[in-house]
Amino acid sequence: MSDTHCDLGIITKISSGLAYGEVISGNCVPNEKFIIPFRKEVGATLRKYMIVGITKDHHSFLYDLPS
């Protein structure tokens, strides 16, 4: 996925407005960890072991995919 605008991650823990996880695709260190704060309105939709799109810098979720 090196030519895309995002990486994929898996959420391993959700706590106090933060999602913890590991990056599973992209050009990064294998099993690189991330901690991403999430918007209050999407908190109820996130689940442990959910695969999510994250920005290349691994600081936020993709809420809309680039066209």
Side-chain angles (χ1 to χ4, degrees):
M1 289 190 68
S2 61
D3 60 342
T4 63
H5 299 285
C6 66
D7 286 337
L8 293 178
I10 185 167
I11 296 173
T12 57
K13 177 181 171 185
I14 299 170
S15 178
S16 303
L18 297 172
Y20 299 79
E22 293 185 10
V23 179
I24 58 174
S25 74
N27 292 330
C28 61
V29 178
N31 301 321
E32 180 179 341
K33 307 247 186 279
F34 65 79
I35 301 173
I36 298 177
F38 53 83
R39 300 189 314 210
K40 187 184 299 185
E41 64 269 21
V42 300
T45 65
L46 295 176
R47 299 284 181 263
K48 188 174 180 179
Y49 305 122
M50 181 179 206
I51 304 297
V52 291
I54 56 178
T55 57
K56 285 289 195 182
D57 63 6
H58 308 151
H59 291 149
S60 62
F61 292 114
L62 292 179
Y63 294 104
D64 296 306
L65 290 175
S67 52

